[in-house]
Amino acid sequence: MTLSVLKDRHLLAALLAGLLVRVAWLLYTDTRPASDAEAYFDIAEGLASGLGYEWLGRTSAYWPVGYPATLAALFAVFGSEVAVGEVLNLFAGLLAVTLTYLIAHDLYDRRIARTAALLVAVLPSQVFYTSVLLSEPLFTTVQLAVLWLLIRALRISEAAPGVLRQSPTVGAGAVGLGFMLPVGDVLGVSMAGALVALVVLAVVAWRLCHPAMLAWLAVGAATGYALLIRPAALTIVVAAIVVLILLLRRAEPARRRVPIACAVVFMAATFLVVLPWLARNNAEFGVGATLANNGGVNLLVGNHGGANGCWSFDPADAPLVAGPGNELDNDREAGRRALRFIREEPLEAASLIPRKFDCMWRQDSSAVNYWNSFGQEDPPGEVALPLLRITADWYYYGLIVLGVLGVPIWARRTPSHILLPLVVVLTVLYYLVFFGDDRFHQPVLPIMAIWAACGVAVLPAWLRWRPPAPLP
């Protein structure tokens, strides 16, 4: 079915439109990496040259390894050039259009899928991020891939028989073996062990002879990659667990072994993908290291005296960001200071929550306001910049309005339909813990475009002042 869907001429037209506007933007602008983008470029260049993950001349894990490692793989083949990262963003954007179409097609119908694909293809902020070497374009695409795989896995789980060929204890034992294999201090050893364990999981899924098992294995592997790009992918993990619980509650007692086995496979595959990076970080920085050594810093950025909800930092705390000493120790100290502020000033900390929300959702133009303007030799001119900013913001506001109109279509209670709003809500809650920035809502814009496409589908009914009927 998927291959036939991809032959849809409307999807091909949307992809062509997306390609043209992104190429035009890349020809118009000449963005050089700055701030976080410059750090990503330098780390990727070091990885490609065999120096390992280094930042500021020392071993680091300040950001997760997924995005710079992906860049490094391309740098190793095509050379360390900004254009290589821009081409990666270009293809990630086109794949995001395709995945948006597939998700909307699976959840609703072809008409909504076509509209959603076109809305994402020419979405201004996502076009503007094509020229910026940040993790947003890649993470957006990977998150969409995970969501599509999740929807497919849910459909298989709901439709397939609930009988396993062998007892789940066999699968659980094999999964336990998989967890034992990667233990070690060396990145290469742990990567080899994780690969072996993933193969063991695949064999177990095949031996249990249930199609849902392999589907959830694919979801777990993709989720692990998403976590290596941004820890915010924890929202996907939580969403997947919630929908699995819904499946478990709906299943008859005799069929509950399948959702349980799928949950085990999903969590194991996710963990095995990230385990080598965790093992490396614990070897370099000490026990307790996580995916990135910036969680405490980000918590402090959004929770300190004088914080405004957006990126704001007390200069006295600056050494914790890029200062000397153990990176993990600095991050933990930053986290302690943030938690102390929350304990000592609970009312002020609570008052920051709506400000964080505002910073995250108020506009959609930071790509052109900052990342394509800051420190550039030839930024957009005095006339072009306001026009680009207005275009991005009002297109975004239009998606929100259309999404609200489409509520009768997309607001459903099945596990597959709950998935998208659940990811959006969890994403909001995740960043309200730290601080707000409109970069953070980029990965959920395709979801909002799907809802906006639902709004377009029912717009004639609203214009006739008649409540639109839900799709069958």
Side-chain angles (χ1 to χ4, degrees):
M1 187 275 290
T2 300
L3 290 178
S4 63
V5 162
L6 294 178
K7 296 178 182 179
D8 189 337
R9 287 179 295 176
H10 292 79
L11 172 60
L12 297 178
L15 289 171
L16 179 59
L19 175 64
L20 291 176
V21 294
R22 283 164 175 78
V23 169
W25 175 252
L26 291 177
L27 293 175
Y28 169 74
T29 189
D30 184 21
T31 305
R32 64 182 184 185
S35 188
D36 289 12
E38 183 177 11
Y40 279 131
F41 183 91
D42 292 342
I43 293 167
E45 194 171 34
L47 287 170
S49 61
L51 296 178
Y53 190 124
E54 292 188 354
W55 182 48
L56 301 176
R58 67 185 184 190
T59 299
S60 175
Y62 189 78
W63 289 277
V65 72
Y67 177 63
T70 304
L71 268 184
L74 296 175
F75 284 175
V77 177
F78 301 106
S80 302
E81 301 290 341
V82 173
V84 174
E86 291 175 339
V87 172
L88 171 64
N89 290 345
L90 173 64
F91 280 101
L94 296 179
L95 185 54
V97 173
T98 305
L99 289 165
T100 301
Y101 179 98
L102 292 173
I103 291 171
H105 188 277
D106 281 357
L107 291 180
Y108 306 106
D109 61 22
R110 179 166 292 188
R111 177 183 50 164
I112 290 175
R114 290 168 171 173
T115 305
L118 182 59
L119 289 173
V120 174
V122 296
L123 208 163
S125 63
Q126 302 229 331
V127 173
F128 298 155
Y129 268 105
T130 308
S131 57
V132 184
L133 300 193
L134 292 173
S135 60
E136 273 69 26
L138 180 62
F139 182 72
T140 298
T141 301
V142 174
Q143 177 168 277
L144 286 172
V146 174
L147 291 175
W148 179 63
L149 289 171
L150 260 171
I151 291 168
R152 303 300 296 176
L154 285 169
R155 295 288 171 85
I156 294 171
S157 300
E158 291 172 335
V163 179
L164 299 178
R165 190 185 213 177
Q166 300 179 16
S167 170
T169 56
V170 175
V175 170
L177 172 63
F179 276 97
M180 294 297 293
L181 286 173
V183 175
D185 297 325
V186 182
L187 180 61
V189 173
S190 58
M191 288 181 67
L195 180 60
V196 170
L198 283 170
V199 171
V200 169
L201 275 178
V203 171
V204 169
W206 176 74
R207 289 287 294 167
L208 290 177
C209 198
H210 199 287
M213 302 282 286
L214 285 173
W216 282 96
L217 176 65
V219 174
T223 303
Y225 180 42
L227 282 166
L228 290 175
I229 300 172
R230 296 187 77 98
L234 285 169
T235 58
I236 305 175
V237 177
V238 175
I241 293 172
V242 170
V243 295
L244 277 167
I245 292 173
L246 290 176
L247 280 181
L248 186 64
R249 293 185 63 183
R250 290 180 174 211
E252 299 174 2
R255 300 180 57 151
R256 288 179 179 174
R257 293 162 63 185
V258 170
I260 293 173
C262 289
V264 172
V265 168
F266 165 71
M267 293 301 296
T270 301
F271 181 77
L272 288 171
V273 172
V274 303
L275 184 56
W277 179 242
L278 293 175
R280 177 263 186 191
N281 291 344
N282 278 267
E284 293 288 349
F285 301 103
V287 176
T290 56
L291 292 171
N293 292 337
N294 64 8
V297 171
N298 289 334
L299 189 64
L300 183 60
V301 166
N303 299 277
H304 65 272
N308 60 13
C310 304
W311 172 269
S312 62
F313 209 81
D314 187 338
D317 295 325
L320 297 177
V321 179
N326 185 291
E327 196 174 76
L328 181 60
D329 290 342
N330 290 343
D331 188 53
R332 287 173 172 171
E333 175 59 24
R336 282 192 288 268
R337 294 188 188 184
L339 292 174
R340 183 166 61 246
F341 165 77
I342 294 171
R343 286 195 306 270
E344 295 176 354
E345 303 290 343
L347 294 180
E348 184 177 353
S351 71
L352 290 171
I353 294 176
R355 297 186 209 174
K356 295 174 184 178
F357 184 89
D358 177 60
C359 290
M360 185 176 177
W361 296 98
R362 154 199 328 160
Q363 61 179 10
D364 194 38
S365 52
S366 71
V368 68
N369 276 345
Y370 182 78
W371 297 106
N372 284 288
S373 302
F374 175 73
Q376 304 303 318
E377 294 180 355
D378 188 22
E382 294 182 0
V383 175
L385 181 59
L387 288 176
L388 293 170
R389 183 170 61 242
I390 290 170
T391 300
D393 286 343
W394 283 97
Y395 192 101
Y396 164 69
Y397 300 147
L399 289 183
I400 295 175
V401 172
L402 288 171
V404 171
L405 293 178
V407 165
I409 299 295
W410 60 259
R412 305 186 190 182
R413 295 183 180 181
T414 67
S416 297
H417 291 89
I418 288 173
L419 186 61
L420 299 189
L422 186 59
V423 167
V424 173
V425 170
L426 290 172
T427 299
V428 172
L429 294 177
Y430 178 88
Y431 285 110
L432 289 183
V433 174
F434 300 101
F435 64 95
D437 191 302
D438 69 47
R439 280 175 60 188
F440 301 154
H441 73 233
Q442 288 299 313
V444 301
L445 285 183
I447 296 176
M448 296 171 63
I450 293 173
W451 295 342
C454 294
V456 172
V458 300
L459 190 57
W462 284 116
L463 292 176
R464 292 194 301 268
W465 297 98
R466 295 177 183 175
L471 291 176

Coordinates of all heavy atoms in Angstrom, one line a residue, residues 88-129:
L88 N 21.9 17.7 3.7 CA 21.2 16.8 4.6 C 19.9 17.4 5.1 O 18.9 16.7 5.1 CB 22.1 16.6 5.9 CG 21.5 15.9 7.0 CD1 21.1 14.4 6.7 CD2 22.4 15.9 8.2
N89 N 19.9 18.7 5.4 CA 18.6 19.4 5.8 C 17.6 19.3 4.7 O 16.4 19.2 4.9 CB 18.9 20.8 6.2 CG 19.7 20.9 7.5 OD1 19.8 19.9 8.3 ND2 20.2 22.1 7.8
L90 N 18.1 19.5 3.5 CA 17.2 19.5 2.3 C 16.5 18.2 2.2 O 15.2 18.1 2.0 CB 18.0 19.8 1.0 CG 17.2 19.7 -0.3 CD1 16.1 20.7 -0.4 CD2 18.2 19.9 -1.5
F91 N 17.2 17.1 2.2 CA 16.6 15.8 2.1 C 15.8 15.4 3.3 O 14.7 14.8 3.2 CB 17.7 14.7 1.8 CG 18.2 14.7 0.4 CD1 19.4 15.3 0.1 CD2 17.4 14.0 -0.6 CE1 19.8 15.2 -1.2 CE2 17.9 14.0 -1.9 CZ 19.1 14.6 -2.2
A92 N 16.2 15.9 4.5 CA 15.4 15.6 5.7 C 14.0 16.3 5.5 O 13.0 15.8 5.9 CB 16.1 16.1 6.9
G93 N 14.0 17.6 5.0 CA 12.8 18.3 4.8 C 11.9 17.6 3.8 O 10.6 17.5 4.1
L94 N 12.4 17.1 2.7 CA 11.6 16.4 1.7 C 11.0 15.1 2.3 O 9.9 14.7 2.0 CB 12.4 16.1 0.5 CG 12.8 17.4 -0.3 CD1 13.6 17.0 -1.5 CD2 11.7 18.3 -0.7
L95 N 11.9 14.4 3.1 CA 11.4 13.2 3.7 C 10.3 13.5 4.8 O 9.3 12.7 4.9 CB 12.6 12.4 4.4 CG 12.3 11.1 5.0 CD1 11.6 10.1 4.0 CD2 13.5 10.4 5.6
A96 N 10.4 14.6 5.4 CA 9.4 15.0 6.4 C 8.1 15.2 5.7 O 7.0 14.9 6.2 CB 9.8 16.3 7.1
V97 N 8.1 15.8 4.5 CA 6.9 16.0 3.7 C 6.2 14.6 3.4 O 5.0 14.4 3.6 CB 7.2 16.7 2.4 CG1 5.9 16.8 1.4 CG2 7.7 18.1 2.6
T98 N 7.1 13.7 3.0 CA 6.6 12.3 2.6 C 6.0 11.6 3.9 O 4.9 11.0 3.8 CB 7.7 11.5 2.1 OG1 8.3 12.1 0.9 CG2 7.2 10.1 1.6
L99 N 6.7 11.7 5.0 CA 6.2 11.1 6.2 C 4.9 11.7 6.7 O 4.0 11.1 7.2 CB 7.3 11.1 7.3 CG 8.5 10.2 7.0 CD1 9.6 10.6 7.9 CD2 8.1 8.7 7.3
T100 N 4.8 13.1 6.6 CA 3.5 13.7 6.9 C 2.4 13.2 6.1 O 1.3 13.0 6.6 CB 3.7 15.3 6.7 OG1 4.8 15.8 7.5 CG2 2.4 16.0 7.1
Y101 N 2.6 13.0 4.8 CA 1.6 12.5 4.0 C 1.2 11.1 4.4 O 0.0 10.7 4.5 CB 2.2 12.4 2.5 CG 1.2 11.8 1.5 CD1 0.4 12.6 0.7 CD2 1.1 10.4 1.3 CE1 -0.4 12.1 -0.2 CE2 0.2 9.9 0.4 CZ -0.5 10.7 -0.4 OH -1.4 10.2 -1.3
L102 N 2.2 10.2 4.7 CA 1.9 8.8 5.1 C 1.1 8.8 6.4 O 0.2 8.0 6.6 CB 3.2 8.1 5.2 CG 4.0 7.8 3.9 CD1 5.3 7.2 4.2 CD2 3.2 6.9 3.0
I103 N 1.5 9.6 7.4 CA 0.8 9.6 8.7 C -0.6 10.1 8.5 O -1.6 9.5 9.0 CB 1.5 10.6 9.7 CG1 2.9 9.9 10.1 CG2 0.7 10.8 10.9 CD1 3.8 10.9 10.9
A104 N -0.8 11.2 7.7 CA -2.2 11.7 7.5 C -3.0 10.7 6.7 O -4.2 10.5 7.0 CB -2.1 13.0 6.8
H105 N -2.4 10.0 5.8 CA -3.1 9.0 5.0 C -3.6 7.8 5.8 O -4.7 7.3 5.7 CB -2.2 8.5 3.8 CG -2.9 7.7 2.8 ND1 -3.1 6.3 3.0 CD2 -3.5 7.9 1.6 CE1 -3.7 5.8 2.0 NE2 -4.0 6.8 1.1
D106 N -2.7 7.4 6.7 CA -3.0 6.3 7.6 C -4.1 6.6 8.6 O -5.0 5.8 8.9 CB -1.8 5.8 8.3 CG -0.9 4.9 7.5 OD1 -1.3 4.6 6.3 OD2 0.2 4.5 7.9
L107 N -4.1 7.9 9.1 CA -5.0 8.3 10.1 C -6.3 8.8 9.6 O -7.4 8.6 10.2 CB -4.4 9.3 11.0 CG -3.2 8.9 11.9 CD1 -2.7 10.1 12.8 CD2 -3.6 7.8 12.9
Y108 N -6.3 9.4 8.4 CA -7.5 10.1 7.9 C -7.8 9.6 6.5 O -8.3 8.5 6.3 CB -7.4 11.6 8.0 CG -7.0 12.0 9.4 CD1 -5.8 12.4 9.7 CD2 -8.0 11.9 10.4 CE1 -5.4 12.8 11.0 CE2 -7.7 12.3 11.8 CZ -6.4 12.7 12.0 OH -6.0 13.0 13.3
D109 N -7.5 10.4 5.5 CA -7.7 10.0 4.1 C -6.7 10.7 3.2 O -5.9 11.5 3.6 CB -9.2 10.2 3.7 CG -9.6 11.7 3.7 OD1 -8.7 12.6 3.7 OD2 -10.8 12.0 3.8
R110 N -6.8 10.3 1.9 CA -5.9 10.9 0.9 C -6.0 12.4 0.7 O -5.0 13.1 0.5 CB -6.0 10.1 -0.4 CG -5.1 10.6 -1.5 CD -5.1 9.7 -2.7 NE -4.5 8.4 -2.3 CZ -4.2 7.4 -3.2 NH1 -4.5 7.6 -4.5 NH2 -3.7 6.3 -2.8
R111 N -7.2 12.9 0.8 CA -7.4 14.3 0.6 C -6.7 15.1 1.7 O -6.0 16.1 1.4 CB -8.9 14.6 0.6 CG -9.3 16.1 0.5 CD -10.8 16.3 0.6 NE -11.3 15.6 1.8 CZ -12.5 15.9 2.3 NH1 -13.3 16.8 1.7 NH2 -13.0 15.3 3.4
I112 N -6.8 14.7 3.0 CA -6.1 15.4 4.1 C -4.6 15.2 3.9 O -3.9 16.1 4.2 CB -6.7 14.9 5.4 CG1 -8.1 15.3 5.6 CG2 -5.8 15.3 6.6 CD1 -8.8 14.8 6.8
A113 N -4.2 14.0 3.5 CA -2.8 13.7 3.4 C -2.2 14.7 2.3 O -1.1 15.2 2.5 CB -2.6 12.3 3.0
R114 N -2.8 14.9 1.2 CA -2.3 15.7 0.2 C -2.2 17.2 0.7 O -1.2 17.8 0.4 CB -3.3 15.7 -1.1 CG -3.2 14.4 -1.8 CD -4.4 14.3 -2.8 NE -4.2 13.1 -3.7 CZ -5.2 12.8 -4.6 NH1 -6.3 13.5 -4.7 NH2 -5.0 11.7 -5.3
T115 N -3.2 17.7 1.4 CA -3.1 19.0 1.9 C -2.0 19.2 2.9 O -1.3 20.2 2.9 CB -4.5 19.4 2.5 OG1 -5.5 19.2 1.6 CG2 -4.5 20.9 2.9
A116 N -1.9 18.2 3.8 CA -0.9 18.3 4.8 C 0.5 18.3 4.2 O 1.4 19.0 4.7 CB -1.0 17.1 5.8
A117 N 0.7 17.4 3.2 CA 2.0 17.4 2.6 C 2.4 18.7 2.0 O 3.5 19.2 2.1 CB 2.1 16.3 1.5
L118 N 1.4 19.4 1.3 CA 1.7 20.7 0.7 C 2.0 21.7 1.7 O 2.9 22.6 1.6 CB 0.5 21.1 -0.2 CG 0.7 22.4 -1.0 CD1 1.9 22.3 -1.9 CD2 -0.6 22.7 -1.8
L119 N 1.2 21.7 2.8 CA 1.4 22.7 3.9 C 2.8 22.6 4.5 O 3.5 23.6 4.8 CB 0.4 22.5 5.0 CG -1.1 22.9 4.7 CD1 -2.0 22.5 5.8 CD2 -1.2 24.4 4.4
V120 N 3.3 21.4 4.7 CA 4.7 21.2 5.2 C 5.7 21.5 4.2 O 6.8 22.1 4.5 CB 4.9 19.7 5.7 CG1 6.3 19.5 6.2 CG2 3.9 19.5 6.9
A121 N 5.4 21.2 2.9 CA 6.4 21.5 1.9 C 6.8 22.9 1.8 O 8.0 23.2 1.5 CB 5.9 21.0 0.5
V122 N 5.9 23.8 2.0 CA 6.2 25.3 1.8 C 6.1 26.0 3.2 O 6.0 27.2 3.2 CB 5.2 25.9 0.8 CG1 5.4 25.3 -0.6 CG2 3.8 25.8 1.3
L123 N 6.2 25.2 4.3 CA 6.1 25.8 5.6 C 7.4 26.7 5.8 O 8.5 26.2 5.8 CB 6.1 24.8 6.7 CG 5.4 25.1 8.0 CD1 5.0 23.8 8.7 CD2 6.2 26.0 8.9
P124 N 7.2 28.0 5.9 CA 8.4 29.0 5.9 C 9.5 28.6 6.9 O 10.6 28.6 6.5 CB 7.7 30.3 6.2 CG 6.3 30.2 5.7 CD 5.9 28.8 6.0
S125 N 9.1 28.4 8.2 CA 10.2 28.2 9.2 C 11.0 27.0 8.9 O 12.2 27.0 9.1 CB 9.6 28.2 10.6 OG 8.7 27.0 10.7
Q126 N 10.3 25.9 8.4 CA 11.1 24.7 8.1 C 11.9 24.9 6.8 O 13.0 24.3 6.7 CB 10.1 23.5 7.9 CG 9.2 23.3 9.1 CD 9.2 21.9 9.6 OE1 9.3 20.9 8.8 NE2 9.0 21.7 10.9
V127 N 11.5 25.7 5.9 CA 12.3 26.1 4.8 C 13.5 26.9 5.2 O 14.7 26.6 4.8 CB 11.5 26.9 3.7 CG1 12.4 27.4 2.6 CG2 10.4 26.1 3.1
F128 N 13.3 27.8 6.2 CA 14.4 28.7 6.6 C 15.5 27.9 7.4 O 16.7 28.2 7.4 CB 13.9 29.8 7.5 CG 13.0 30.8 6.8 CD1 12.0 31.5 7.5 CD2 13.1 30.9 5.4 CE1 11.2 32.4 6.9 CE2 12.2 31.8 4.8 CZ 11.3 32.5 5.5
Y129 N 15.1 26.8 8.1 CA 16.0 26.0 8.8 C 16.9 25.1 7.9 O 17.8 24.5 8.4 CB 15.3 25.1 9.8 CG 15.1 25.7 11.2 CD1 13.9 26.3 11.6 CD2 16.2 25.8 12.1 CE1 13.8 26.9 12.9 CE2 16.1 26.4 13.3 CZ 14.9 26.9 13.7 OH 14.8 27.5 14.9

